[in-house]
Amino acid sequence: MRDKLASPEFWVQALTYQVEDIEAFEKSYGNPSPGPLKQGGKGYPLLQALFETSLCSYSAGAPMPEVVAPGLHGVGHLFPEMVSRFGTEMPDGIARDGYDDYLRYISMLVLCCANQDEFKAFFDALDQFDLTKRDYGGYDQIWSAFRRQLGQGDVAPQSSVHWPEAYHNLWLAIDPEEPDFARPHHLGKFLKGWYDEMATELAAQTTRAEDLGENSTYVGYWCLEAAAASVAFGIDDTQLRDHPHYPADWADWARNCRPLA
């Protein structure tokens, strides 16, 4: 087990539930009922189940190919397919996720060693949404930096960091103007404060773990964003590796999988 908070028995049961969810959601997505579709029939529960299965598998100590397969399928293939199939015009299209969720999707792709076609499919799908509406405007500095670093071209940021309370230190870690020696320090500060900011957000992809009973949805508390920044931007993570929320094994696997463009 990589997550010691839950028992081995918990992880066996949790993974069983995840597989059952995926099977059920695949049926509803592949065979939608007649009439107007709710968001559930457009793939979001399946996408979430695939994403969380990767986290759960990592927590349980599964081999890394088993860890990455569901998340890569969900973010690199299902999400673009959903957008292509249903569009983004509401009420019938795919609803736009929050900023933190998209950053988490990008991080999942990095840690799953997505190829250039998979990165392109994701960003092409993301660009179908009107990203200037509501609480943030277009690409911020972090999204732009990741997109450029992942070989998907430059998109000028339309705003600074969208959620500075949570992500300012992540930006400092990848800001090209920052000296290299300071990057691990900034990334460590981001990691240290990550869970306090994410605990009430869907980006945590889990409930709090005070009750790890039969109905718990706990899948582990993993800061994918810190690991993805370390892998994609070549930041030394030596000082982060013992942090309980840092997926060190996952970062190592991604770093050694193949060079990123």
Side-chain angles (χ1 to χ4, degrees):
M1 296 188 308
R2 296 180 179 94
D3 181 299
K4 305 298 194 297
L5 184 60
S7 67
E9 294 76 18
F10 174 88
W11 290 120
V12 169
Q13 185 62 71
L15 283 167
T16 299
Y17 287 154
Q18 291 295 135
V19 171
E20 291 173 353
D21 281 349
I22 289 172
E23 290 176 350
F25 295 143
E26 281 179 337
K27 288 180 181 178
S28 63
Y29 177 65
N31 300 284
S33 40
L37 279 180
K38 296 181 178 179
Q39 286 300 319
K42 298 172 187 173
Y44 260 123
L46 177 56
L47 173 58
Q48 183 175 1
L50 290 165
F51 194 106
E52 292 184 351
T53 297
S54 279
L55 301 182
C56 190
S57 297
Y58 182 77
S59 295
M64 286 308 305
E66 294 179 18
V67 170
V68 304
L72 181 59
H73 174 63
V75 181
H77 297 269
L78 176 62
F79 174 69
E81 178 187 298
M82 289 161 50
V83 172
S84 175
R85 182 175 172 186
F86 298 107
T88 60
E89 293 297 322
M90 300 304 290
D92 298 322
I94 298 297
R96 195 197 73 180
D97 269 332
Y99 168 79
D100 46 349
D101 294 300
Y102 288 132
L103 182 54
R104 203 144 171 83
Y105 292 164
I106 294 169
S107 300
M108 176 65 78
L109 290 177
V110 171
L111 293 179
C112 290
C113 282
N115 61 39
Q116 288 297 295
D117 288 341
E118 289 160 338
F119 280 125
K120 183 178 187 303
F122 171 80
F123 282 106
D124 284 350
L126 177 62
D127 290 344
Q128 299 305 305
F129 294 89
D130 184 349
L131 300 171
T132 64
K133 287 184 177 179
R134 295 173 58 189
D135 53 340
Y136 59 86
Y139 277 72
D140 77 337
Q141 294 167 314
I142 295 175
W143 280 9
S144 295
F146 266 100
R147 180 168 182 152
R148 180 174 58 252
Q149 190 72 6
L150 298 172
Q152 297 303 307
D154 285 321
V155 172
Q158 295 168 280
S159 62
S160 56
V161 179
H162 289 321
W163 186 357
E165 295 83 359
Y167 294 110
H168 177 67
N169 285 304
L170 178 60
W171 164 242
L172 291 179
I174 65 176
D175 180 355
E177 299 299 322
E178 284 291 302
D180 287 345
F181 73 83
R183 299 188 191 284
H185 169 73
H186 295 311
L187 198 58
K189 288 186 68 175
F190 165 67
L191 177 62
K192 184 176 180 180
W194 172 81
Y195 185 71
D196 287 342
E197 291 291 336
M198 291 298 109
T200 59
E201 296 295 320
L202 288 178
Q205 294 292 334
T206 181
T207 58
R208 283 187 177 274
E210 283 84 353
D211 176 16
L212 289 177
E214 182 177 353
N215 296 319
S216 174
T217 59
Y218 180 65
V219 294
Y221 299 136
W222 301 111
C223 184
L224 305 184
E225 298 86 340
S230 173
V231 172
F233 292 86
I235 302 172
D236 182 5
D237 66 353
T238 303
Q239 301 303 314
L240 312 182
R241 301 184 64 81
D242 292 332
H243 193 284
H245 299 320
Y246 188 72
D249 290 351
W250 204 339
D252 289 344
W253 182 87
R255 193 177 290 112
N256 295 322
C257 178
R258 62 174 172 269
L260 288 168

